[in-house]
């Protein structure tokens, strides 16, 4: 795993946007695996700027997101679909029909997980998967567990995740308690992985990168990925 340490969130974001932009330049119809959360916001702003300046063209890009809350429709401002639409998709020239997220309100969630897994496979797996990391080491919504979940699945969110994500909701009771997420196996199939983390994640990034590979720290599996880069901001 390559770890790049940078001074600030701004530098982390600029670097991540350059790496993703480079991927789009090299393969205009690439499949980008995307993430939500505070960590990638600056990266998306960088991509939006580059697109506005005519440096990047998203017209052929396909995107697959890691996860979605169960029970939230795409027009709910707390949903990850809404986050992606407002922070990236509506601000670049991507074809909305080529942007995919799991459906958090599917009637049959098991069927939805199988559908999403098959969809990501049919696209040929992500060329580049962007990841954030939870304080407990989760990637996507793969929480610490006895095993590494391989495929897309629904998950009960850890209490610490509900706490952490409640900052974006009016009341903690409003935070969904379950989500649908790509599996660890799906994430590992991406040709490149780029994990971005702010200074508050230094300790968990250290454990993920240098500690034992264990499903108790889901991100530690990335030590076994052949092309994983971590950008860690010191401030
Ligand atoms: C959420 C998302 C993850 C994200 C993590 C960290 O729970 N499901 O994909 O990486 O939180 O978010 P943040 O970057 O806001 O700290």
């Amino acid at each position: 795993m390559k770890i790049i340490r940078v001074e600030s969130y701004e530098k982390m974001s600029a670097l991540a946007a350059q790496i993703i932009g480079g991927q789009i330049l090299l393969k205009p119809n690439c499949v980008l695996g995307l993430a939500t959360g505070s960590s990638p916001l600056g990266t998306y702003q960088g991509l939006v700027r580059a697109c506005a300046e005519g440096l990047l063209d998203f017209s052929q890009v396909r995107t697959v997101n890691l996860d979605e809350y169960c029970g939230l429709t795409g027009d709910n401002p707390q949903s990850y679909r809404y986050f992606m639409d407002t922070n990236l998709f509506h601000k670049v020239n991507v074809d909305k029909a080529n942007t995919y997220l799991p459906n958090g309100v599917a009637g049959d969630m098991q069927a939805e997980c199988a559908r999403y897994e098959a969809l990501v496979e049919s696209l040929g797996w992500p060329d580049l998967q962007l990841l954030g990391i939870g304080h407990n080491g989760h990637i996507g919504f793969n929480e610490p567990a006895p095993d590494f979940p391989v495929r897309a699945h629904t998950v009960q969110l850890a209490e610490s995740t509900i706490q952490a994500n409640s900052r974006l909701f009016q009341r903690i009771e409003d935070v969904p308690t379950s989500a649908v997420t790509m599996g660890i196996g799906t994430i590992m199939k991406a040709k490149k992985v780029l994990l971005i983390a702010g200074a508050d994640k230094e300790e968990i990034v250290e454990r993920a990168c240098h500690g034992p590979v264990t499903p108790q720290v889901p991100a530690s599996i990335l030590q076994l990925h052949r092309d994983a880069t971590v950008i860690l901001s010191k401030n």
Side-chain angles (χ1 to χ4, degrees), residues 190-218:
K191 293 170 192 91
K192 288 186 178 58
V193 171
L194 176 61
L195 187 149
I196 52 177
D200 59 318
K201 307 279 177 55
E202 190 168 2
E203 193 193 323
I204 190 65
V205 166
E206 179 61 31
R207 283 174 64 201
C209 295
H210 301 299
V213 175
T214 163
Q216 292 303 330
V217 182

Side-chain angles (χ1 to χ4, degrees), residues 36-40 66-67 80 132-134 138 140-141 161 165 167 201:
T36 51
S38 311
S39 308
L66 284 167
D67 46 16
Y80 286 169
I133 184 170
H138 76 222
F141 267 132
T161 301
N165 292 2
R167 70 188 194 277
K201 307 279 177 55

Side-chain angles (χ1 to χ4, degrees), residues 21-41:
Q23 173 66 70
I24 297 170
L25 290 172
L26 290 173
K27 187 175 175 189
N29 66 344
C30 63
V31 177
L32 295 180
L34 298 177
T36 51
S38 311
S39 308
L41 269 180

Side-chain angles (χ1 to χ4, degrees), residues 64-77:
V64 285
N65 262 77
L66 284 167
D67 46 16
E68 178 60 280
Y69 285 118
C70 287
L72 300 189
T73 52
D75 57 357
N76 184 317

Side-chain angles (χ1 to χ4, degrees), residues 42-190:
T43 304
Y44 294 153
Q45 283 162 9
L47 291 171
V48 168
R49 264 196 309 275
C51 188
E53 288 165 9
L55 299 173
L56 286 180
D57 174 15
F58 281 75
S59 62
Q60 298 177 63
V61 169
R62 282 87 47 83
T63 69
V64 285
N65 262 77
L66 284 167
D67 46 16
E68 178 60 280
Y69 285 118
C70 287
L72 300 189
T73 52
D75 57 357
N76 184 317
Q78 312 294 354
S79 73
Y80 286 169
R81 162 53 80 181
Y82 191 92
F83 175 100
M84 291 308 302
D85 282 348
T86 50
N87 289 301
L88 184 67
F89 300 152
H90 289 170
K91 295 181 169 174
V92 295
N93 66 329
V94 72
D95 180 349
K96 183 97 185 277
N98 288 334
T99 65
Y100 303 98
L101 281 91
N103 176 5
V105 291
D108 178 344
M109 284 317 281
Q110 222 175 327
E112 172 56 16
C113 291
R115 181 197 72 83
Y116 198 65
E117 185 74 25
L119 170 86
V120 180
E121 180 170 15
S122 73
L123 295 173
W125 310 111
D127 290 291
L128 190 158
Q129 176 67 57
L130 179 66
L131 294 175
I133 184 170
H135 283 105
N136 61 3
H138 76 222
I139 46 178
F141 267 132
N142 292 278
E143 300 282 24
D147 302 296
F148 288 112
V150 179
R151 294 166 176 270
H153 60 285
T154 53
V155 62
Q156 286 301 121
L157 300 183
E159 207 41 56
S160 60
T161 301
I162 294 174
Q163 275 288 346
N165 292 2
S166 68
R167 70 188 194 277
L168 304 168
F169 290 77
Q170 261 186 341
R171 303 173 314 156
I172 191 161
E173 298 80 45
D174 298 336
V175 185
T177 53
S178 60
V180 47
T181 181
M182 274 189 201
I184 293 285
T186 327
I187 293 170
M188 289 296 280
K189 289 218 172 78

